[in-house]
Amino acid sequence: MNLHNSQSNRRGAMLVMVAVTIVILFIAAAFAIDIAWMHATRAELRTATDAAARAASESLGRFQDTEAAIAAAQALARANMVAGKPLEIERADVIFGAHAVQPSGKFQFIEGGEPINTVRVLGRRTADAPSGPVPLFFGPLLGVTEFQPRQQATASRLDRDIALVLDVSGSMASFGRFPALTNALDIFLIELDTLPQEEVVSLTVYNSVARKVQEMTPDLSLIQEAFSKERPQGFTAIGRALQSGLDSIANDPGSRPLAFKELILMTDGNHNTGINPMAIVPDAVDAGVVVHTITFSQEANQNLMQQVAEATGGAHLHADTNQQLEDIFRELALQIPVVLID
């Protein structure tokens, strides 16, 4: 046996094995890079499609115009990059319909259903889509040059159960604040009445104590009538007011189980009697109630009200003038809550 030839053969076999292993590792690395690219692209497409559906549904609720909804969906999609290119969607990719609630509590999209309150958006990076397919980096080595992801998102606007919680403490008698609140409330109710969905509203007023003066009702004139009987006096029990508003949402006969739950708390001063508002916040969070807070005047405790709002996912809004207060109530009335249902 020739020892030299045997060693040469082994070295030759090892070189072949190393070469094959390198090729396999290269292919595996290339494959992993393309898989990661595909996952990242799908995530970007999901984000862009969700945003477009939300924008379309919000626009549909605000303007009651399907053309405006299509334009909003296209604009939001275009603002999002998917695989390095803005996502372009066609008019046919925006589909209108209604939602139905199944016995399980889940929402079902009914294409073409009435009343139109739901929008489905198709996000595509396919060969027949405006943005085209997504090229792969190393796929051509395996005979695959591109992939064509699709996503859909469906968003629907929801009716609201709104608990109004308004300050009628003694400080509201100063500087024309109480008449300003009366005017702002009138504007709020007028704007609500223009919306196509049915909102139900309750009214709690508070000073040293909190009083629910109108249970949840779709008859907005009852809210206006109840507030017209109030006069400012007493201290400012914001914690008790929050408790009363939450009770209205949870227990009033007119409260609806599937409606979006919202509490609007307005104050012109500082909490100065009764339970601390932050002690009530966990109850709002557990009940899924979004609390928006409004402070009116520089004397109001903006920091505390901001904490309450942020802890519940709501907004804190501040007004120094009567006009600003009216604008805030108008803005809150016209908010359209939107939820993704798939």
Side-chain angles (χ1 to χ4, degrees):
M1 179 177 178
N2 190 319
L3 182 60
H4 176 74
N5 288 340
S6 177
Q7 290 176 339
S8 296
N9 289 339
R10 283 198 296 269
R11 283 196 296 268
M14 287 297 295
L15 288 173
V16 171
M17 185 178 297
V18 169
V20 170
T21 302
I22 290 173
V23 171
I24 292 173
L25 289 174
F26 176 78
I27 292 173
F31 187 65
I33 290 171
D34 274 344
I35 289 294
W37 171 244
M38 293 166 69
H39 280 303
T41 299
R42 287 194 182 99
E44 290 177 343
L45 185 58
R46 174 87 255 181
T47 298
T49 307
D50 286 353
R54 286 180 181 275
S57 185
E58 196 280 335
S59 178
L60 180 68
R62 185 177 295 271
F63 299 110
Q64 295 300 290
D65 182 3
T66 56
E67 291 298 318
I70 291 171
Q74 290 176 323
L76 254 293
R78 195 175 298 119
N80 284 271
M81 303 295 286
V82 178
K85 294 179 64 175
L87 178 64
E88 299 286 347
I89 60 175
E90 298 180 311
R91 294 175 58 85
D93 293 330
V94 185
I95 304 163
F96 297 94
H99 71 252
V101 182
Q102 299 175 319
S104 63
K106 293 184 177 181
F107 289 91
Q108 177 186 5
F109 176 59
I110 304 172
E111 183 174 343
E114 297 283 349
I116 295 175
N117 57 18
T118 306
V119 185
R120 171 167 286 171
V121 173
L122 307 179
R124 301 179 293 128
R125 283 297 308 269
T126 57
D128 60 345
S131 300
V134 179
L136 296 174
F137 295 107
F138 299 102
L141 296 175
L142 303 175
V144 181
T145 60
E146 61 193 25
F147 83 109
Q148 303 185 48
R150 301 168 179 265
Q151 290 283 358
Q152 73 175 28
T154 309
S156 183
R157 71 174 190 268
L158 299 180
D159 295 338
R160 289 179 290 175
D161 285 358
I162 304 171
L164 287 175
V165 180
L166 305 181
D167 189 345
V168 293
S169 62
S171 59
M172 286 293 294
S174 305
F175 308 109
R177 292 175 190 167
F178 192 76
L181 176 58
T182 301
N183 291 338
L185 176 61
D186 289 346
I187 289 170
F188 179 82
L189 298 174
I190 290 170
E191 295 291 357
L192 277 189
D193 203 37
T194 66
L195 298 177
Q197 66 265 27
E198 183 176 72
E199 317 287 41
V200 299
V201 183
S202 69
L203 177 62
T204 291
V205 296
Y206 70 98
N207 39 50
S208 301
V209 297
R211 295 176 291 111
K212 181 167 40 178
V213 294
Q214 176 58 55
E215 291 187 337
M216 286 283 177
T217 177
D219 186 349
L220 303 182
S221 67
L222 295 179
I223 303 294
Q224 196 171 38
E225 179 182 346
F227 192 73
S228 69
K229 301 173 184 177
E230 298 299 321
R231 295 295 180 269
Q233 58 181 334
F235 293 101
T236 308
I238 297 178
R240 292 169 180 165
L242 269 177
Q243 281 182 316
S244 180
L246 290 175
D247 176 76
S248 181
I249 289 174
N251 298 316
D252 279 5
S255 184
R256 300 166 295 180
L258 296 177
F260 184 83
K261 307 299 184 182
E262 194 172 79
L263 188 150
I264 298 175
L265 170 67
M266 175 270 165
T267 181
D268 79 324
N270 289 276
H271 168 75
N272 54 28
T273 188
I275 188 170
N276 189 293
M278 290 304 296
I280 310 301
V281 163
D283 296 336
V285 174
D286 290 344
V289 177
V290 173
V291 179
H292 301 301
T293 57
I294 304 170
T295 48
F296 184 31
S297 84
Q298 289 297 325
E299 289 75 35
N301 190 337
Q302 296 185 48
N303 183 57
L304 176 60
M305 292 298 95
Q306 185 170 1
Q307 291 180 48
V308 170
E310 289 180 351
T312 63
H316 167 248
L317 304 164
H318 178 73
D320 285 317
T321 67
N322 296 357
Q323 183 62 55
Q324 288 173 347
L325 187 67
E326 292 176 5
D327 291 342
I328 286 170
F329 271 91
R330 180 181 290 106
E331 177 183 344
L332 290 175
L334 294 177
Q335 280 191 339
I336 307 295
V338 171
V339 63
L340 288 172
I341 65 174
D342 77 14

